[in-house]
Amino acid sequence: MTEIINVFAGIFIAIGALLSLVTALGILRLPDVYTRNHAASKGSTLGVMSVLLGAFLYFYTLDGDYNSRLILAIVFIFITSPVAGHLISRAAYNTGIPMWEKSVLDELKDKEKHEKDGLKREKQ
Amino acid sequence: MLDMVLKISLICISIAMLALIYRVIKGPTIPDKVIALDAIGINLVALIALISMLLKTSAFLEVILLVGILAFIGTVAFAKFLEKGEIIERDRNH
């Protein structure tokens, strides 16, 4: 039984490490901030969660009791890492960092203009 | 067998962190560097988990939580600094 759990732990850890590698490749190769943020916030989150799940299974077979700290770390990373990606991407957009020149649609530009018009109308 | 998997995973994550360090140094804009630093922090969590598995001790698991929380707080503070120019606002009435 412990051998089976160890095999699963090894599979989870290998998948997580490969996802981290793919994330780094995306961060190297993608053309602008937003696509790189897309790669970083999704890929590394899933990779690290997978590695931590593997570590949880490993320590479960090693010690026999389960580490709630690892579960807490998985939940915390799952909650916070996409939020951090969103915040930094929004900061990049609001400070006017341009998109890739081949991107076709920027819906937020019109929306900001609409919001400013609505603000003026409210003041009047 | 599992030791072999752990060592190979350690090498993979080290290569990933080297690529991220390249992006931190080279990155054309500041949010690029912040994203890469955040990803380095997240990868450091995985690195600590792998090392604590190789050393067969569960003494480092608090460090995992701590690094996760610190990476999140640092990224949020830097995003707010980039967007508003200050991290803790004085005037809260607008």
Side-chain angles (χ1 to χ4, degrees):
Chain A
M1 190 61 197
T2 58
E3 274 306 311
I4 296 172
I5 295 180
N6 264 338
V7 167
F8 273 107
I11 289 172
F12 275 124
I13 290 163
I15 287 174
L18 283 179
L19 274 174
S20 286
L21 205 58
V22 170
T23 300
L25 199 67
I27 285 182
L28 279 189
R29 300 255 316 153
L30 286 173
D32 73 355
V33 183
Y34 308 103
T35 47
R36 281 196 281 263
N37 188 14
H38 173 84
S41 64
K42 286 168 187 60
S44 66
T45 306
L46 187 61
V48 171
M49 280 169 62
S50 180
V51 169
L52 288 181
L53 191 61
F56 174 77
L57 291 176
Y58 180 82
F59 284 118
Y60 183 68
T61 61
L62 191 73
D63 296 338
D65 60 348
Y66 64 83
N67 276 295
S68 55
R69 287 166 289 179
L70 278 172
I71 296 294
L72 204 60
I74 290 173
V75 172
F76 188 80
I77 285 175
F78 183 59
I79 292 172
T80 60
S81 181
V83 176
H86 165 76
L87 283 176
I88 199 68
S89 184
R90 200 182 67 168
Y93 190 85
N94 284 340
T95 50
I97 289 172
M99 293 166 121
W100 189 30
E101 68 265 18
K102 283 183 190 168
S103 53
V104 287
L105 188 60
D106 186 6
E107 284 188 326
L108 204 54
K109 199 161 52 179
D110 290 341
K111 196 186 167 207
E112 277 185 347
K113 211 167 63 185
H114 279 308
E115 278 176 356
K116 273 180 191 168
D117 289 348
L119 224 63
K120 274 179 200 164
R121 250 177 274 136
E122 278 180 11
K123 279 180 183 172
Q124 284 167 4
Chain B
M1 186 60 201
L2 195 57
D3 266 10
M4 203 66 201
V5 172
L6 289 182
K7 280 169 190 165
I8 292 172
S9 307
L10 211 56
I11 293 170
C12 283
I13 291 182
S14 306
I15 293 171
M17 283 177 82
L18 277 180
L20 292 173
I21 287 171
Y22 169 79
R23 183 51 74 193
V24 170
I25 295 171
K26 183 81 188 308
T29 62
I30 294 175
D32 265 320
K33 302 184 181 189
V34 181
I35 289 166
L37 276 175
D38 186 45
I40 283 179
I42 297 283
N43 274 340
L44 199 63
V45 169
L47 211 67
I48 295 165
L50 288 175
I51 287 175
S52 74
M53 274 186 278
L54 274 175
L55 296 178
K56 286 187 174 33
T57 170
S58 61
F60 298 143
L61 298 183
E62 282 92 359
V63 183
I64 290 174
L65 265 176
L66 204 62
V67 171
I69 292 170
L70 284 181
F72 175 62
I73 290 175
T75 310
V76 170
F78 217 105
K80 198 168 176 193
F81 175 70
L82 285 178
E83 202 167 343
K84 296 186 175 159
E86 56 187 349
I87 297 173
I88 301 173
E89 297 165 37
R90 277 189 196 166
D91 188 11
R92 292 177 178 269
N93 290 330
H94 67 90

